[in-house]
Amino acid sequence: MKIVVLTLIAGLAMPLGATLAAVERIRPFWLENELRHAVIAFGGGALLAAVALVLVPEGMHGLPPWAVVASFVSGSLLFMLLDMRLAANDTQLSQLVAMLSDFVPEALALGAAFTFSESAGLLMAGIIALQNMPEGFNAYREIMASTDYRRLPIIGAFVLMALLGPIAGLTGYAFLAEYPRVISCIMLFAAGGILYIIFQDIAPQARLKNHWAPPLGASAGFLLGVVGKMLTGA
C-alpha cells in the first residue's frame, strides 16, 4: 500500500507542474521569458542528475560490460528514431518523452527497493517528485506550444500518467525484485534515451540569447539530484 501511495504522490507532481505552467502571463514579459527558459534548464539538469546519479550507477550493478553498452546504446538509438518520427510529424514532445522515460524506470526501481529498504524507498519517492514537477511544467508548455489541445485535457492526461507510478512500483515490487538485472537493463536503456533527448532537444531550448541566468537552472537541477543522492546515503 505504501508503494502505491508514494509512487502516486511522486507522479502527481507532474500535473502539479503542469498546473503551475498553466498560469497566464507573468509581467513583465522579459521575466516570464527568462523564467520559462530557466525552468527548462532546471528540468534538463534534474534529468541529467537522474542519469548520472541514479539510472547509470544503479543500472551498472551486476551487469557485464557488453550488457551495459547494449542497453544504453539501444535506448539512445530508439529515442533517436522516436525523435525523428515526431519531427517528421512536426510534433514537439521531447519533454514529455523524457519525463515519462525518467519516471517509469525510477518507479520500478522504487518498488524493488522497498523489498530491502523502506527508508530508501521513501527518499527515492521524494526525489522523483521533486524531479517530476519541473518536468511537468516544461512538458505542459511544450504541448501547448506545439498542439491545439486545451489546458484541462492536458492536465487530465498528466493525472492519468501519474497512475503509471503505482503500476510500475507494484511491478518492481512483485515481479522484478528477484530479477535485478532486468531492472538494471531498463534503467540503462532509459538513461541512454534521456541523455540523447537532453542534448538533442532540451539543452538547445534552454538557451536564451543575450541572457546568462537561465543556464544556472541546469546547475540547480543537477544539484537537486546530488543532494537527493546524498540523502539516500547511496
Side-chain angles (χ1 to χ4, degrees):
M1 185 62 184
K2 285 185 179 180
I3 295 175
V4 173
V5 173
L6 289 173
T7 51
L8 183 60
I9 291 174
L12 288 174
M14 295 187 293
L16 177 58
T19 302
L20 293 174
V23 174
E24 281 298 337
R25 301 296 178 187
I26 301 171
R27 301 300 179 192
F29 177 74
W30 68 265
L31 179 59
E32 179 194 353
N33 203 26
E34 191 148 335
L35 175 63
R36 182 168 60 86
H37 283 77
V39 175
I40 290 173
F42 185 90
L47 284 167
L48 186 59
V51 170
L53 301 173
V54 180
L55 296 176
V56 170
E58 297 299 326
M60 290 173 63
H61 287 322
L63 288 182
W66 68 265
V68 172
V69 172
S71 300
F72 193 90
V73 171
S74 60
S76 295
L77 291 176
L78 184 63
F79 278 58
M80 180 187 71
L81 294 174
L82 177 60
D83 196 45
M84 291 170 63
R85 181 64 181 269
L86 291 173
N89 294 331
D90 197 26
T91 304
Q92 298 296 319
L93 295 175
S94 58
Q95 299 274 2
L96 177 64
V97 172
M99 177 178 69
L100 292 178
S101 302
D102 177 26
F103 177 46
V104 173
E106 285 190 342
L108 279 167
L110 186 154
F114 252 84
T115 62
F116 61 85
S117 175
E118 185 173 318
S119 60
L122 289 168
L123 287 170
M124 191 176 228
I127 295 168
I128 295 171
L130 290 173
Q131 289 173 342
N132 279 344
M133 190 177 298
E135 291 166 16
F137 184 101
N138 292 334
Y140 173 88
R141 286 293 181 99
E142 182 181 62
I143 293 171
M144 285 293 290
S146 60
T147 69
D148 295 325
Y149 296 132
R150 296 183 179 275
R151 297 178 191 173
L152 289 180
I154 296 174
I155 295 174
F158 277 40
V159 172
L160 293 177
M161 289 176 198
L163 299 178
L164 292 173
I167 293 171
L170 288 173
T171 300
Y173 181 82
F175 301 109
L176 296 181
E178 297 180 2
Y179 304 98
R181 291 190 176 187
V182 175
I183 293 180
S184 293
C185 288
I186 293 172
M187 295 176 83
L188 288 168
F189 180 89
I194 291 169
L195 199 61
Y196 171 84
I197 287 176
I198 289 172
F199 288 99
Q200 174 65 15
D201 295 310
I202 296 176
Q205 290 182 53
R207 185 178 181 275
L208 187 60
K209 190 175 181 180
N210 296 326
H211 291 268
W212 291 267
L216 289 175
S219 299
F222 191 86
L223 182 60
L224 168 70
V226 172
V227 172
K229 181 75 172 178
M230 294 174 67
L231 290 175
T232 61

